[in-house]
């Protein structure tokens, strides 16, 4: 039942993104490519000036691959749920969503999936191909691709839940820009999307591994990067990701049900 | 008749910051803890029976929408009890949602950039409407309004009237027991209003749906409601059959006419002249009240006795008239009459 609802909504989400976002996709792709060029030259410079092969146990190709893929993953994983929520809250449109038999959280999730599916095709795939050739076909293409895809699906859920929890605070502070910036900086930095987690100082790294953010970018990337990943590591990564899904889902439900009582819808 | 909705001593308070003026005030507001409480709904009780069309009438800001938002489960009441089909809207949200349909006049539940039919398909899944019911309803809707051209049009390209019609149909799609219409005719012209009235009446009679309609337009309640509740300043000031109120506002229309001549200085002369004129030609002067102010003639006409146009025809033979205006009686004047005790 919920699957059929999801299918219809995802389809509508895709159609909706086509109605508006055609130019948005091109800009997103262009942004990705510019950012890719930036990290290529930045890290090339760092490796060359120190004249080293290995930095914190990673070669240049591995670093570039890690960060390049993190960039490529952004359109799949990233969520605009905070903006959507704040628009709904500020305009009062939210009153129409919370009188539906489907929860607002589920509704927004399907909406996001539809849009992100398209960005996956139009933005992720081209970026991925470029990264693949830029790093001299360094990606190991075998069964780990399957693990990577499953891991990504869980990442999407985790990042969405983080977004939804932060978005709930739009009910208290009416500034989506501030909230979303804060979320982006925290997520990007602590998830390894800007600097590989392997480069963090020992202490920070052990703290970061206890937080949910590494499960967003770092976890799926591990499957693509480490060639000989063993069963134990696979189970550990998935268990960690699923643990955060459950915790964040519970947390988002609690915070939302407390906050919704605060709602006031003025002006009709 | 069964009661579908029971409301007992319901109240809703909003906490509002006492804002200060000016730049200094704007900064002080950030730290101010000086709140005041506004009672949007104050101790309202009523019962609504299944299958009826109830009109909730009130001025802008009277508390109509707050009342509806509590009934739909959007807002949590500050005090009092509210039971709809045995559910407490705010608590049993999902169960409640399946039983009700909602249209907010200024908002749309339809997907803005998609053809209307896509929204209907989504609603079908969200409410788990089975195929037979969906088919049957769509066929029935099609009898009421030709849907073919509407359904394939993206919602953002629709006129306001078309959009509201689609929104109303969408709210009836899952055969809800109760449909809430919050100012559905806001900003619409008479033609579309009429279409909406007819649509609501036929949906109500076919499906036996309870319809609760808020409006500040006397014409809406006049056209479709048998019972009305009037809310003012958050309190219920009238709750009865509409015909009892109707004799005070129903057939009366106000005719305003402006005399285009500087020669006439004395308003009282005009009044006497008009009275004489009407007395001579139609002898129904008892049913009219005539006033004149700065060459604006104001005549309240009881349309059951004589038509406005007839009166206009008479006076324009005598005076050179350059502007006219015909007004329906307004919600404000009905409310004023209720306060004066005339309707009770």
């Amino acid at each position: 039942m919920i699957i059929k609802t999801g299918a219809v909504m995802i389809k509508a989400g895709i159609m909706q993104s086509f109605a508006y976002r055609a130019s948005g996709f091109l800009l997103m792709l262009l942004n990705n490519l510019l950012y890719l060029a930036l990290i290529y030259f930045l890290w090339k410079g760092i490796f060359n000036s120190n004249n080293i092969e290995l930095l914190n146990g990673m070669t240049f190709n591995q670093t570039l691959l890690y960060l390049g893929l993190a960039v490529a993953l952004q359109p799949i994983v990233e969520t605009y749920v905070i903006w959507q929520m704040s628009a709904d809250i500020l305009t009062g449109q939210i009153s129409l969503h919370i009188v539906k038999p489907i929860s607002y959280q589920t509704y927004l999730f399907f909406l996001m999936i539809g849009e992100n599916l398209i960005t996956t095709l139009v933005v992720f795939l081209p970026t991925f191909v470029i990264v693949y050739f830029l790093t001299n076909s360094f990606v190991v293409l075998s069964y780990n691709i399957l693990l990577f895809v499953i891991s990504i699906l869980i990442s999407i859920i985790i990042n969405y839940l983080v977004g939804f929890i932060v978005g709930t605070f739009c009910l208290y502070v009416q500034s989506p820009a501030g909230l979303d910036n804060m979320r982006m900086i925290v997520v990007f930095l602590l998830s390894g999307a800007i600097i590989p987690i392997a480069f963090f100082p020992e202490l920070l790294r052990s703290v970061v591994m206890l937080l949910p953010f590494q499960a967003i970018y770092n976890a799926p990337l591990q499957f693509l990067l480490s060639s000989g990943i063993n069963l134990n590591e696979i189970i550990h990564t998935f268990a960690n990701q699923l643990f955060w899904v459950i915790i964040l889902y519970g947390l988002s439900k609690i915070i939302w049900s407390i906050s919704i009582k605060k709602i006031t819808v003025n002006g009709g | 008749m069964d009661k579908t909705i029971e409301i007992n001593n319901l109240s809703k308070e909003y906490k509002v910051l006492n804002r200060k003026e000016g730049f200094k005030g704007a900064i002080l507001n950030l730290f101010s803890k000086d709140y005041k409480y506004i009672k949007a709904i104050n101790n309202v009780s009523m019962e609504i029976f299944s299958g009826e069309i109830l009109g909730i009438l009130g001025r802008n800001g009277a508390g109509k929408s707050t009342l509806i938002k509590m009934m739909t489960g959007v807002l949590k009441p500050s005090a009092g009890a509210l039971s709809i089909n045995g559910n407490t809207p705010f608590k049993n949200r999902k169960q409640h949602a399946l039983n009700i349909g909602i249209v907010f006049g200024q908002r749309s539940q339809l997907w803005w950039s998609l053809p209307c039919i896509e929204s209907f398909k989504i609603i079908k899944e969200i409410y788990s409407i089975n195929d037979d019911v969906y088919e049957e309803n769509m066929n029935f809707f099609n009898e009421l309004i030709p849907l073919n051209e509407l359904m394939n049009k993206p919602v953002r390209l629709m006129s306001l009237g078309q959009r509201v019609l689609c929104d109303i149909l969408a709210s009836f799609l899952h055969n809800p027991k109760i449909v809430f219409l919050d100012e559905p005719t806001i900003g619409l012209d008479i033609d579309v209003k009429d279409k909406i009235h007819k649509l609501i009446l036929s949906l109500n009679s076919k499906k036996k749906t309870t319809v609760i309609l808020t409006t500040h337009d006397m014409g809406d309640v006049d056209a479709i409601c048998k019972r009305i509740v009037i809310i003012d300043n958050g309190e219920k000031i009238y709750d009865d059959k509409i015909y009892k109120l109707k004799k005070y506002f129903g057939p009366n229309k106000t005719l305003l006419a402006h005399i285009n001549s500087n020669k006439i200085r004395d308003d009282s002369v005009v009044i006497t002249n008009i009275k004489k004129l009407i007395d001579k030609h139609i002898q129904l002067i008892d049913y009219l009240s005539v006033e004149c102010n700065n060459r604006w003639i104001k005549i309240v006409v009881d349309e059951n006795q004589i038509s406005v146009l007839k009166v206009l025809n008479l006076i324009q033979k005598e005076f050179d008239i350059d502007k006219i205006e015909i007004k329906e009686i307004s919600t404000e004047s009905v409310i004023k009459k209720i306060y004066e005790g005339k309707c009770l």
Side-chain angles (χ1 to χ4, degrees):
Chain A
M1 214 285 294
I2 191 77
I3 292 172
K4 212 176 163 204
T5 312
V8 174
M9 283 198 56
I10 289 168
K11 193 183 124 204
I14 292 173
M15 289 169 71
Q16 183 144 301
S17 10
F18 278 140
Y20 283 129
R21 305 262 161 80
S23 58
F25 292 139
L26 282 177
L27 284 176
M28 220 190 265
L29 182 59
L30 196 65
N31 271 343
N32 264 0
L33 297 182
L34 283 173
Y35 189 73
L36 205 57
L38 178 93
I39 54 174
Y40 178 86
F41 290 112
L42 178 70
W43 290 95
K44 187 107 193 152
I46 292 172
F47 274 86
N48 280 352
S49 66
N50 291 320
N51 226 344
I52 41 172
E53 283 293 312
L54 281 178
L55 191 61
N56 295 307
M58 284 172 90
T59 64
F60 171 70
N61 269 347
Q62 274 176 319
T63 311
L64 186 64
L65 185 63
Y66 184 100
L67 294 172
L69 286 177
V71 177
L73 283 184
Q74 270 180 36
I76 308 185
V77 176
E78 249 332 285
T79 166
Y80 299 98
V81 63
I82 293 173
W83 293 95
Q84 183 78 41
M85 287 172 84
S86 96
D88 283 346
I89 288 165
L90 292 180
T91 60
Q93 186 76 11
I94 187 137
S95 50
L96 275 168
H97 294 306
I98 58 181
V99 296
K100 287 274 154 61
I102 185 172
S103 79
Y104 185 50
Q105 199 181 27
T106 317
Y107 173 86
L108 285 180
F109 181 68
F110 286 138
L111 194 68
M112 179 193 93
I113 294 287
E115 287 175 2
N116 284 21
L117 263 179
I118 294 305
T119 34
T120 302
L121 291 178
V122 213
V123 185
F124 169 73
L125 285 181
T127 319
F128 182 82
V129 169
I130 292 169
V131 172
Y132 184 79
F133 287 113
L134 213 57
T135 55
N136 303 323
S137 335
F138 197 75
V139 190
V140 192
L141 295 173
S142 71
Y143 71 96
N144 61 346
I145 292 289
L146 182 69
L147 298 173
F148 169 76
V149 170
I150 298 170
S151 184
I152 277 291
L153 293 176
I154 307 174
S155 298
I156 294 173
I157 299 175
I158 296 174
N159 197 36
Y160 171 74
L161 288 171
V162 171
F164 189 86
I165 290 171
V166 176
T168 305
F169 290 100
C170 288
L171 284 166
Y172 303 92
V173 285
Q174 280 134 13
S175 157
L179 281 174
D180 200 41
N181 270 342
M182 194 177 71
R183 178 197 64 88
M184 263 170 64
I185 290 168
V186 170
V187 169
F188 281 179
L189 189 64
L190 300 185
S191 67
I194 299 179
I195 302 167
I197 285 184
F199 290 10
F200 287 6
E202 189 59 41
L203 183 66
L204 183 60
R205 188 163 65 217
S206 48
V207 174
V208 162
M209 292 314 277
L210 295 174
L211 295 173
F213 309 111
Q214 46 79 25
I216 300 172
Y217 284 101
N218 192 51
L221 287 176
Q222 288 310 320
F223 287 119
L224 275 196
L225 295 172
S226 355
S227 37
I229 196 162
N230 66 40
L231 191 64
N232 252 345
E233 282 171 316
I234 295 173
I235 293 171
H236 180 263
T237 307
F238 281 137
N240 182 279
Q241 280 194 305
L242 288 175
F243 169 78
W244 283 116
V245 170
I246 294 165
I247 295 291
L248 290 173
Y249 180 75
L251 201 61
S252 69
K253 282 276 174 198
I254 293 168
I255 295 177
W256 178 251
S257 66
I258 293 171
S259 306
I260 195 80
K261 293 184 184 130
K262 252 193 66 81
I263 211 169
T264 52
V265 184
N266 299 330
Chain B
M1 275 194 290
D2 320 330
K3 289 173 202 165
T4 31
I5 304 183
E6 281 183 81
I7 300 173
N8 285 313
N9 306 319
L10 198 68
S11 297
K12 175 75 193 176
E13 273 183 343
Y14 291 118
K15 189 171 148 188
V16 184
L17 188 67
N18 279 321
R19 290 186 184 274
K20 295 180 187 67
E21 271 175 48
F23 182 71
K24 197 179 150 201
I27 292 170
L28 286 175
N29 279 340
L30 292 175
F31 308 101
S32 170
K33 287 224 156 59
D34 178 20
Y35 291 106
K36 65 181 170 205
Y37 290 89
I38 294 178
K39 285 218 158 178
I41 286 291
N42 192 5
N43 220 4
V44 168
S45 301
M46 65 169 121
E47 286 165 350
I48 299 166
F49 300 96
S50 75
E52 79 173 327
I53 304 184
L54 174 79
I56 298 178
L57 193 68
R59 293 184 270 206
N60 289 335
K64 307 177 297 276
S65 291
T66 303
L67 186 61
I68 274 223
K69 292 211 169 79
M70 284 192 280
M71 290 199 247
T72 51
V74 175
L75 295 179
K76 191 188 177 203
S78 311
L82 176 60
S83 158
I84 298 185
N85 291 320
N87 288 322
T88 310
F90 193 79
K91 283 183 190 150
N92 320 40
R93 213 177 230 148
K94 258 186 190 168
Q95 189 54 41
H96 181 55
L98 288 169
N99 286 328
I100 60 168
I102 299 169
V103 176
F104 293 121
Q106 312 104 302
R107 313 184 197 293
S108 178
Q109 63 162 324
L110 307 170
W111 288 44
W112 200 237
S113 50
L114 299 185
C116 186
I117 187 72
E118 297 300 328
S119 299
F120 277 56
K121 283 182 193 162
I122 293 168
I123 291 166
K124 175 176 181 284
E125 293 309 324
I126 288 179
Y127 286 91
S128 6
I129 305 169
N130 67 42
D131 295 349
D132 300 340
V133 176
Y134 181 78
E135 276 301 306
E136 193 192 318
N137 276 345
M138 290 304 273
N139 288 336
F140 176 56
F141 293 165
N142 201 19
E143 285 168 27
L144 301 174
I145 295 173
L147 289 180
N148 290 342
E149 53 166 332
L150 278 183
M151 282 296 147
N152 294 318
K153 199 169 178 182
V155 176
R156 71 194 153 97
L157 299 181
M158 284 183 178
S159 71
L160 182 61
Q162 289 175 324
R163 205 215 76 208
V164 174
L165 285 172
C166 287
D167 253 315
I168 292 177
L169 292 178
S171 71
F172 275 87
L173 198 61
H174 59 290
N175 290 338
K177 294 198 182 94
I178 307 169
V179 168
F180 296 91
L181 304 170
D182 193 5
E183 314 226 353
T185 58
I186 200 160
L188 298 177
D189 64 34
I190 300 206
D191 194 34
V192 180
K193 272 185 187 173
D194 192 46
K195 264 190 197 160
I196 286 177
H197 296 156
K198 282 185 181 139
L199 181 68
I200 295 171
L201 281 173
S202 13
L203 286 166
N204 166 264
S205 68
K206 166 91 191 265
K207 298 186 168 294
K208 307 282 170 255
T209 316
T210 313
V211 176
I212 294 164
L213 169 99
T214 69
T215 180
H216 56 254
D217 184 343
M218 220 55 199
D220 285 346
V221 288
D222 195 16
I224 60 176
C225 304
K226 289 207 173 62
R227 176 184 158 203
I228 64 169
V229 167
I230 301 181
I231 304 270
D232 198 50
N233 290 328
E235 293 184 25
K236 188 173 85 169
I237 57 171
Y238 181 91
D239 179 359
D240 209 334
K241 295 273 181 283
I242 195 166
Y243 70 83
K244 290 191 180 167
L245 197 60
K246 222 170 185 174
K247 60 183 170 195
Y248 291 96
F249 75 83
N252 287 348
K253 290 213 167 76
T254 308
L255 171 66
L256 292 166
H258 188 254
I259 303 166
N260 180 27
S261 159
N262 291 323
K263 285 174 207 154
I264 297 164
R265 300 250 173 237
D266 196 347
D267 288 334
S268 61
V269 177
V270 177
I271 295 178
T272 338
N273 279 346
I274 291 176
K275 280 190 173 167
K276 262 186 206 159
L277 197 70
I278 292 170
D279 210 21
K280 189 171 145 199
H281 291 273
I282 34 187
Q283 293 121 24
L284 282 166
I285 192 68
D286 288 355
Y287 294 99
L288 307 175
S289 81
V290 183
E291 286 169 38
C292 189
N293 199 357
N294 282 333
R295 290 188 280 135
W296 271 103
I297 306 170
K298 184 181 168 194
I299 309 177
V300 179
V301 185
D302 181 346
E303 281 234 294
N304 281 351
Q305 305 295 334
I306 179 173
S307 79
V308 177
L309 290 179
K310 231 178 186 175
V311 177
L312 181 63
N313 203 17
L314 263 182
I315 56 172
Q316 62 107 21
K317 276 178 193 156
E318 200 68 19
F319 301 99
D320 179 15
I321 295 205
D322 62 347
K323 287 179 219 157
I324 62 156
E325 207 178 313
I326 299 171
K327 277 186 175 168
E328 302 276 342
I329 200 139
S330 65
T331 310
E332 280 75 12
S333 57
V334 172
I335 289 171
K336 204 173 137 204
K337 276 185 179 173
I338 289 174
Y339 277 131
E340 287 165 1
K342 283 185 183 169
C343 294
L344 300 173

